[in-house]
Amino acid sequence: EAQVTQNPRYLITVTGKKLTVTCSQNMNHEYMSWYRQDPGLGLRQIYYSMNVEVTDKGDVPEGYKVSRKEKRNFPLILESPSPNQTSLYFCASSLNSGQYNEQFFGPGTRLTVL
Amino acid sequence: QKEVEQNSGPLSVPEGAIASLNCTYSDRGSQSFFWYRQYSGKSPELIMFIYSNGDKEDGRFTAQLNKASQYVSLLIRDSQPSDSATYLCAVRRSYKYIFGTGTRLKVLA
């Protein structure tokens, strides 16, 4: 089944404890992206990657890191999480960086930072 | 001013009616426009996209784009209770996607 998977789905952590949220897709997609969704602020793009080893900042990259060493994986790293990073996170992928491609979203990761 | 603006709703329509959802955007460099549907607790799913001025129809859904007015809309004909969800408008600018905050639609049986 074609899909985007994220792990973990739920995570409660404490301020300053490094964490990684994994994202994997099995559709051979080139373009991958991370979003956070907050009430009243909608979905905001954190980082995106157009292909292996090519990443760039979205609109809210502060406090996050990403890497794209393999085509299928695009982990999101929070090196020192803070409470304002409590949010619902979505990973998404699309065929390539063309303008008209559908993004397929993962199921989401709900992160709480205490 | 937000780059992509939507009325948060809720927009309530009776079953069988036409639901009209609106979105405005501020950057004239925006290239393509997407409508996603998001059920509560779920991830967004694409309904349709549009990139040329005019209308684009897909089943009960019609997207309308007016680049001069920087306006994109989604019409849902014969609305069903199963259409009750939040509808997200997104614009593509360069390699980025900018989403609106969504409009909550309630279809009343």
Side-chain angles (χ1 to χ4, degrees), chain B residues 67-101:
Chain B
K67 289 187 178 180
S69 300
Q70 295 174 247
Y71 176 94
V72 58
S73 65
L74 179 71
L75 300 177
I76 307 174
R77 287 181 298 281
D78 188 24
S79 296
Q80 301 296 308
S82 58
D83 293 326
S84 297
T86 297
Y87 289 79
L88 308 175
C89 171
V91 306
R92 171 77 182 254
R93 174 170 51 79
S94 184
Y95 296 108
K96 294 183 182 181
Y97 291 89
I98 316 297
F99 281 78
T101 53

Side-chain angles (χ1 to χ4, degrees), chain A residues 74-91:
Chain A
F74 189 43
L76 179 70
I77 303 157
L78 285 72
E79 297 227 328
S80 184
S82 62
N84 65 12
Q85 293 178 297
T86 292
S87 187
L88 178 59
Y89 291 85
F90 288 104
C91 180

Side-chain angles (χ1 to χ4, degrees), chain A residues 14-61:
Chain A
V14 295
T15 299
K17 187 175 181 182
K18 181 179 179 179
L19 66 91
T20 299
V21 184
T22 65
C23 173
S24 183
Q25 49 90 10
N26 62 1
M27 296 171 279
N28 202 36
H29 284 174
E30 293 182 352
Y31 185 98
M32 296 186 74
S33 186
W34 275 103
Y35 296 88
R36 61 178 290 175
Q37 188 171 37
D38 302 287
L41 297 175
L43 267 170
R44 293 179 292 168
Q45 194 170 31
I46 303 171
Y47 269 95
Y48 63 92
S49 169
M50 289 188 282
N51 213 327
V52 176
E53 302 291 4
V54 182
T55 63
D56 207 346
K57 295 176 181 178
D59 284 341
V60 288

Side-chain angles (χ1 to χ4, degrees), chain B residues 1 14 16 19 21 34 37 39 51-53 55 61 67 69 71 76 80 85 91 105 109:
Chain B
Q1 182 192 4
L21 304 160
F34 302 79
R37 177 176 60 199
Y39 292 111
Y51 55 89
S52 299
N53 275 329
D55 294 0
F61 300 96
K67 289 187 178 180
S69 300
Y71 176 94
I76 307 174
Q80 301 296 308
V91 306
L105 173 67

